[in-house]
Amino acid sequence: MRGPKAIINLDHLKSNFSIIQKFLNGKRIMAVVKANGYGHGSVPCSLALENHGCDFFGVFSIEEGIELRNAGIKSDILVFSALDPFRLNEAVKNNLILNISDISHIAPLIDFHKETNTIPRIHIKVDTGMTRLGFSIDSFNDLIELLIKHSEIKCEGIYSHFATADEGDFSYAVDQEEKFKRILDLTQKLDYPIKNIHFSNSGATLNIEQDYCNITRVGMLLYGALPSNELEKILPVKPVLNFKAPIVSIRSVPKNTFVSYGCAYKTTSKTNIVVVQCGFADGFPRSWFEDGYICYNGNKYNIAGRICMDQFMVDFGNVIPKIDDNVLMIGKDGSDEIRFETIASALKTTPYVLATAIGGRTQRIYKG
Ligand SMILES: Cc1ncc(COP(=O)(O)O)c(C=O)c1O
């Protein structure tokens, strides 16, 4: 099929998992596969990882969790979104772990248990500085007292989320850790032991050592990209995804020819302008043209003018490529390499935004 392709190398995904697990001395990893596995396809990625020994997955929505169960994933699955009291039945039916992040989540659980004599598995989410979801340290005493009273709610995990763990300055992350440790101390003091403790994301995996946690949540690093360029350590993870698209037209144009919308590009000599069939509707960032380039047969060629919705143009100079050959837009293929991190830093965005945008008409092809 002509059009953009995301070629996903599951061997790289598995080897990244092993590299990270070794770095963490065998600690249990929760593979974060929300948002369709950061654009890599949550089902194939989860199946490959489960086969490779991963036994915990993090998703955002109940639907994402059910999708994994329907695909045959047997491992634990934690749902990150705020508890929806109307979906408790589906959580139980599909053995999904929900989180509680507000005192208002307790009553529906108690009522549900009264009605059905079942209850979803629960992790407690605490807010230590992200100011998103989670119990604050001030409300924690009341929460634990309530949970002790309602022993039908069995909290098997507790977690928080870093706001700045991938940044060079650790001070805010250290502050978050202190709050989290105070909360963990409270669980001890109130005699409410919780088995599973997790805090890290990819940035913290590399930047912050956490001996008080027995699970690490890892997303971006598994897919072979670094969350930011401010990390203390790096690991030799390999990009999992190659984003490619075919050349569909080649034309020779004279010097001073304008290319694409807004005439933002003007040729500086007689050259070959090539049309590639992929656009911002497929997730190729519209603004990646000022310094943007693609790779073809070991060489880089500048993107000529704004990326259009379905196509973009490339200045090939005096090279005449082959129609239907693919250019590499993101990823690594032999000596051709354009990392998510490179584009993210040029566009002042993040690999997360770029990876999760890949879609539209993109065909996902799995290797390994
Ligand atoms: C709650 C939670 N944990 C873990 C992660 C994984 O983060 P990363 O991809 O940086 O590893 C995310 C991602 O945003 C998240 O929302």
Side-chain angles (χ1 to χ4, degrees):
M1 196 179 79
R2 247 189 186 182
K5 293 166 196 70
I7 299 133
I8 291 129
N9 189 326
L10 297 173
D11 286 336
H12 286 186
L13 180 72
K14 289 183 271 186
S15 104
N16 291 346
F17 180 87
S18 299
I19 289 169
I20 299 163
Q21 197 167 48
K22 188 163 172 228
F23 176 75
L24 292 168
N25 297 320
K27 196 182 273 188
R28 193 174 181 206
I29 291 176
M30 182 194 304
V32 180
V33 294
K34 61 182 179 160
N36 199 21
Y38 292 37
H40 293 64
S42 64
V43 165
C45 289
S46 303
L47 288 170
L49 287 170
E50 189 173 69
N51 251 321
H52 194 63
C54 180
D55 65 353
F56 209 161
F57 294 92
V59 296
F60 183 73
S61 67
I62 296 256
E63 286 75 11
E64 289 175 339
I66 293 174
E67 189 186 12
L68 294 192
R69 283 285 175 249
N70 288 343
I73 292 293
K74 301 275 181 298
S75 304
D76 285 343
I77 300 175
L78 173 64
V79 177
F80 294 153
S81 53
L83 182 137
D84 180 347
F86 300 104
R87 313 284 305 268
L88 301 181
N89 201 19
E90 287 164 277
V92 170
K93 222 172 95 194
N94 291 283
N95 188 21
L96 303 177
I97 307 172
L98 302 182
N99 75 84
I100 49 170
S101 57
D102 189 89
I103 211 77
S104 66
H105 296 155
I106 305 293
L109 285 169
I110 297 168
D111 292 345
F112 181 79
H113 184 258
K114 271 191 206 139
E115 279 164 29
T116 65
N117 207 27
T118 62
I119 198 148
R121 299 166 66 191
I122 293 292
H123 282 207
I124 303 172
K125 175 82 192 274
V126 293
D127 179 42
T128 52
M130 181 76 183
T131 319
R132 198 166 63 179
L133 299 178
F135 290 94
S136 67
I137 187 152
D138 307 328
S139 60
F140 206 70
N141 252 319
D142 292 347
L143 168 71
I144 297 295
E145 276 168 19
L146 201 55
L147 289 174
I148 290 172
K149 242 175 46 208
H150 289 281
S151 57
E152 67 272 33
I153 303 173
K154 289 182 184 55
C155 293
E156 51 182 80
I158 182 164
Y159 72 109
S160 191
H161 191 52
F162 282 111
T164 62
D166 57 358
E167 292 180 11
D169 178 356
F170 295 168
S171 49
Y172 196 75
V174 168
D175 193 56
Q176 282 194 264
E177 275 200 299
E178 273 166 18
K179 286 197 182 112
F180 193 53
K181 283 182 188 165
R182 270 174 29 221
I183 283 172
L184 295 179
D185 287 347
L186 264 177
T187 62
Q188 300 279 326
K189 228 167 62 205
L190 297 169
D191 198 19
Y192 191 79
I194 303 175
K195 199 171 127 214
N196 298 302
I197 303 168
H198 46 109
F199 201 169
S200 281
N201 49 11
S202 292
T205 299
L206 297 171
N207 264 347
I208 302 162
E209 230 176 80
Q210 289 176 306
D211 49 6
Y212 55 93
C213 293
N214 51 11
I215 296 173
T216 297
R217 305 190 302 273
V218 189
M220 190 45 89
L221 209 50
L222 273 176
Y223 304 105
L226 299 174
S228 85
N229 51 14
E230 291 185 55
L231 292 155
E232 174 103 313
K233 300 189 193 83
I234 54 166
L235 286 175
V237 289
K238 293 191 197 131
V240 170
L241 182 146
N242 282 349
F243 195 22
K244 292 184 168 185
I247 291 166
V248 294
S249 161
I250 305 162
R251 86 171 62 188
S252 172
V253 298
K255 182 177 173 178
N256 292 335
T257 303
F258 289 110
V259 184
S260 196
Y261 290 118
C263 296
Y265 190 86
K266 191 158 93 174
T267 58
T268 53
S269 57
K270 181 173 182 272
T271 188
N272 290 307
I273 294 293
V274 156
V275 180
V276 178
Q277 191 163 313
C278 176
F280 62 76
D282 306 303
F284 198 47
R286 180 177 180 272
S287 49
W288 177 233
F289 69 91
E290 275 168 14
D291 304 313
Y293 60 91
I294 55 87
C295 290
Y296 176 74
N297 286 349
N299 292 307
K300 292 177 179 170
Y301 299 94
N302 289 337
I303 292 172
R306 290 186 192 145
I307 311 290
C308 310
M309 189 185 290
D310 324 292
Q311 308 171 77
F312 66 93
M313 280 66 86
V314 179
D315 190 336
F316 264 73
N318 54 14
V319 173
I320 303 180
K322 279 216 311 262
I323 291 282
D324 274 326
D325 268 5
N326 286 305
V327 302
L328 178 76
M329 300 175 303
I330 302 176
K332 179 166 168 48
D333 190 7
S335 61
D336 289 341
E337 181 169 16
I338 311 173
R339 295 188 77 112
F340 277 121
E341 296 93 310
T342 309
I343 302 177
S345 115
L347 302 186
K348 299 199 170 34
T349 182
T350 70
Y352 301 81
V353 175
L354 299 174
T356 55
I358 293 175
R361 292 149 294 202
T362 304
Q363 187 191 358
R364 287 188 174 75
I365 299 163
Y366 292 90
K367 272 172 61 179

